[in-house]
Amino acid sequence: MKIVVIGASGLLGSVLVPKLELISNEVITLGWSASNHYRCDVGNRESINHTLDILKPIIIINLVALTDIDLCESDPRQAFKVNVQILENIVSWIETSSRICHLVQISTDHVYDGMGPHLESQVMLTNYYAFSKYAAELVALRVSATVLRTNFFGKSKRDKKVSFTDWIIKNIKDNEFFFLFNDVFFSPLSMETLAQMISIVITEKPQGVYNLGSREGLSKSAFALLFADKLNLESSNMKATSIDDVTFMKTYRPKDMRMDVTKFEKHLGVSLPTLEDEIDSVIDDYYETA
Ligand SMILES: NC(=O)c1ccc[n+]([C@@H]2O[C@H](COP(=O)([O-])OP(=O)(O)OC[C@H]3O[C@@H](n4cnc5c(N)ncnc54)[C@H](OP(=O)(O)O)[C@@H]3O)[C@@H](O)[C@H]2O)c1
């Protein structure tokens, strides 16, 4: 099973690729940086067509994204270019290819707002990052595709990429005052579990859009307190507050991104863990740092 992963040099890619290599000996990473097996300007249609013609994948996993929410808001053209047009190039190749190729597009829980947990149909787009990721979902669905709306945490394997849990640890250790929101809710998975679920997805190839997160989400402040508590870290420099009470957020962010994961569980025959289970699953990775 030849699998091409585009955007593999990021946070999720660095955990996902080793997991995929356990189930396939043909995992090829493709992207603009030297760390990839194949270097290619994925923003250039001719370049990506040429490379995919050579590689002939039967699965493409797209992880390329501009995830900086403020940057997406201030530079929507760039957000559209990275989050939508690169995928448009991939989808056009699949449409014109004579071979069958299934696409896995990683989307986000950011497409929701209002009271969760949300079903897949309850989209509410509130900023340009969400808009561009949702536009990408529509592009992906032109071909055989699984769109996974997700969020994740866990120890980064890339020096320059920082996950939410890395950020919490750094702030606690720097011993500076920092805020966490008690009215922003989410239901992420650990990157390990997410990678495991993506491995199942590429075998089963379910069609359409799926929420993929943990059960029983938490507020960001409750998550951080629980995480710090499990690591026996002193967290008195962490202040729980309402997102409405801070002025440093440039861009509107959704308050409740919790997802109803019933569809994924039913169609894939799996039982997803609770968020507390997921926190427990990453604690060992942080003992050394903490
Ligand atoms: N991080 C989160 O908490 C989170 C939450 C929910 C959903 N997601 C989604 O999960 C997916 C993976 O996220 P991630 O956190 O792993 O992202 P990431 O660490 O920012 O990595 C993104 C990847 O895209 C590549 N990339 C960015 N701009 C590019 C461009 N113009 N041309 C070619 N490649 C480009 C990056 O390459 P370089 O590293 O070489 O720049 C990197 O390989 C994304 O679809 C994201 O929307 C992420």
Side-chain angles (χ1 to χ4, degrees), residues 162-172 178-180 286:
V162 179
S163 73
F164 184 51
T165 34
D166 298 333
W167 178 83
I168 294 168
I169 293 274
K170 183 180 180 314
N171 277 300
I172 291 176
F178 69 108
F179 292 102
L180 274 155
Y286 283 98

Side-chain angles (χ1 to χ4, degrees), residues 18-257:
K19 203 63 131 196
L20 296 175
E21 284 169 343
L22 298 175
I23 56 167
S24 166
N25 54 8
E26 290 185 297
V27 180
I28 298 159
T29 63
L30 179 64
W32 62 355
S33 58
S35 59
N36 289 287
H37 296 129
Y38 271 76
R39 276 187 93 172
C40 156
D41 177 5
V42 290
N44 177 297
R45 189 171 289 192
E46 274 180 23
S47 170
I48 197 160
N49 275 350
H50 177 69
T51 313
L52 291 174
D53 277 345
I54 295 170
L55 295 175
K56 299 181 179 59
I58 62 160
I59 301 280
I60 297 177
I61 304 175
N62 180 39
L63 306 175
V64 172
L66 188 64
T67 56
D68 182 326
I69 289 158
D70 293 331
L71 187 55
C72 287
E73 205 68 13
S74 63
D75 192 351
R77 272 173 192 270
Q78 183 62 8
F80 195 76
K81 207 169 146 189
V82 181
N83 291 343
V84 187
Q85 278 178 341
I86 288 174
L87 179 68
E88 173 74 42
N89 291 342
I90 299 165
V91 165
S92 296
W93 179 82
I94 296 174
E95 282 175 326
T96 53
S97 166
S98 52
R99 290 162 170 267
I100 292 170
C101 176
H102 186 78
L103 172 68
V104 179
Q105 167 66 9
I106 305 302
S107 193
T108 174
D109 59 355
H110 221 87
V111 298
Y112 298 117
D113 199 2
M115 176 85 95
H118 303 282
L119 293 168
E120 283 80 355
S121 56
Q122 293 171 322
V123 168
M124 195 187 288
L125 305 175
T126 53
N127 60 34
Y128 202 80
Y129 172 65
F131 171 77
S132 63
K133 292 296 289 182
Y134 184 69
E137 292 185 1
L138 300 180
V139 172
L141 294 172
R142 291 195 337 231
V143 293
S144 167
T146 311
V147 173
L148 299 173
R149 290 186 187 148
T150 191
N151 197 339
F152 50 83
F153 62 94
K155 197 164 182 191
S156 173
K157 293 189 174 173
R158 292 277 183 267
D159 290 345
K160 289 183 186 155
K161 308 268 181 180
V162 179
S163 73
F164 184 51
T165 34
D166 298 333
W167 178 83
I168 294 168
I169 293 274
K170 183 180 180 314
N171 277 300
I172 291 176
K173 291 183 82 180
D174 287 353
N175 207 21
E176 288 193 13
F177 223 45
F178 69 108
F179 292 102
L180 274 155
F181 302 126
N182 51 21
D183 52 359
V184 174
F185 296 86
F186 69 157
S187 54
L189 285 174
S190 70
M191 287 190 273
E192 282 291 329
T193 303
L194 178 54
Q196 185 62 42
M197 292 301 139
I198 294 172
S199 302
I200 296 173
V201 162
I202 61 172
T203 313
E204 300 295 324
K205 303 182 188 64
Q207 303 283 330
V209 179
Y210 291 83
N211 289 336
L212 178 50
S214 51
R215 286 185 284 116
E216 298 168 25
L218 292 167
S219 71
K220 293 222 171 178
S221 61
F223 174 98
L225 281 171
L226 195 56
F227 177 61
D229 194 47
K230 285 176 186 282
L231 280 166
N232 297 319
L233 289 175
E234 165 61 50
S235 55
S236 52
N237 58 333
M238 187 192 310
K239 183 163 170 39
T241 188
S242 164
I243 194 169
D244 295 333
D245 292 341
V246 300
T247 51
F248 55 78
M249 285 287 176
K250 287 191 232 154
T251 307
Y252 176 85
R253 280 153 167 82
K255 277 191 177 161
D256 194 342
M257 295 164 284

